[in-house]
Amino acid sequence: GPSWGSAVPAIVVEDYDRAAPNGVGQVKCAGNYAADIVPAARAKKQGFPVCLYLDAKEHRYVEEFSTSNFVAITKSGVYLTPDSVSVLDSVTNASLEKLAVDMGLKVERRKIDFDAEVDSFKEVGAVGTGVVITVIESITRDSKVYKFEQSEVLQNMYNKLRAIQTGDEADVHGWMRDIA
């Protein structure tokens, strides 16, 4: 379930692809997770609990983490997430985008050139239904390690979303439903 744990390191997978262009990466199906089995096992043996996949065509643009959407808070205060037909739309990510706007952040959903932009990331998170946000402390690509700051903005977003989900804060977006 949702939790706020320790930040974890991630590694860029260079020799496997999570989803093919014009494939089913944007669909919630088992095949999208199967592609991660071998790389994830190898990464865990190397001390990386999370894999980051780049686009299958050029291995240049950020796609998503093993089982979660990618988000970054840039040093200029932008909530940044990939726009790709190979990435599953996430209700959690969409909710966090709205909270980012509420917090005064600009939201950008676009291609993210990993090598050109990674140094602009202040905070990075893997977001999805199960954990809401898993903070990424670093991303390793080849022999280069990119480290990120302690996740102050992502922590605030997590706290806000969980407070709305538990009824401790007002749901101004109309997300909650009374089912009893």
Side-chain angles (χ1 to χ4, degrees):
S3 63
W4 188 264
S6 300
V8 298
I11 189 168
V12 174
V13 175
E14 300 287 357
D15 53 348
Y16 287 83
D17 297 319
R18 189 196 65 80
N22 303 317
V24 293
Q26 78 286 5
V27 178
K28 188 80 163 180
C29 66
N32 288 336
Y33 300 101
D36 184 54
I37 292 171
V38 170
R42 184 181 63 201
K44 285 180 181 157
K45 285 181 183 174
Q46 296 174 323
F48 299 98
V50 177
C51 295
L52 177 63
Y53 290 89
L54 304 181
D55 70 293
K57 185 176 181 181
E58 297 182 63
H59 286 254
R60 177 178 173 184
Y61 298 102
V62 174
E63 290 273 303
E64 65 182 350
F65 289 108
S66 302
T67 60
S68 307
N69 279 182
F70 173 96
V71 300
I73 306 299
T74 68
K75 294 173 182 172
S76 62
V78 173
Y79 180 100
L80 182 60
T81 194
D83 184 21
S84 168
V85 296
S86 298
V87 173
L88 181 67
D89 281 334
S90 162
V91 171
T92 303
N93 196 358
S95 300
L96 293 170
E97 287 177 11
K98 288 186 180 190
L99 293 180
V101 170
D102 293 348
M103 295 169 64
L105 297 173
K106 181 180 177 186
V107 172
E108 292 182 7
R109 185 178 280 260
R110 60 171 174 77
K111 283 186 167 188
I112 304 168
D113 185 323
F114 183 83
D115 289 330
E117 298 186 61
V118 66
D119 288 327
S120 73
F121 304 158
K122 182 177 178 183
E123 302 177 26
V124 173
V127 303
T129 304
V131 295
V132 182
I133 303 171
T134 297
V135 175
I136 305 300
E137 69 181 9
S138 65
I139 297 174
T140 298
R141 183 168 195 194
D142 297 320
S143 61
K144 181 118 174 148
V145 179
Y146 302 92
K147 294 188 179 211
F148 310 109
E149 294 181 22
Q150 187 174 4
S151 293
E152 186 177 317
V153 174
L154 292 176
Q155 174 77 63
N156 290 338
M157 296 177 89
Y158 172 85
N159 292 344
K160 179 83 169 171
L161 185 58
R162 290 296 295 140
I164 293 168
Q165 291 173 332
T166 59
D168 293 331
E169 282 203 33
D171 173 18
V172 299
H173 296 286
W175 296 328
M176 302 299 289
R177 300 288 182 264
D178 187 5
I179 57 171

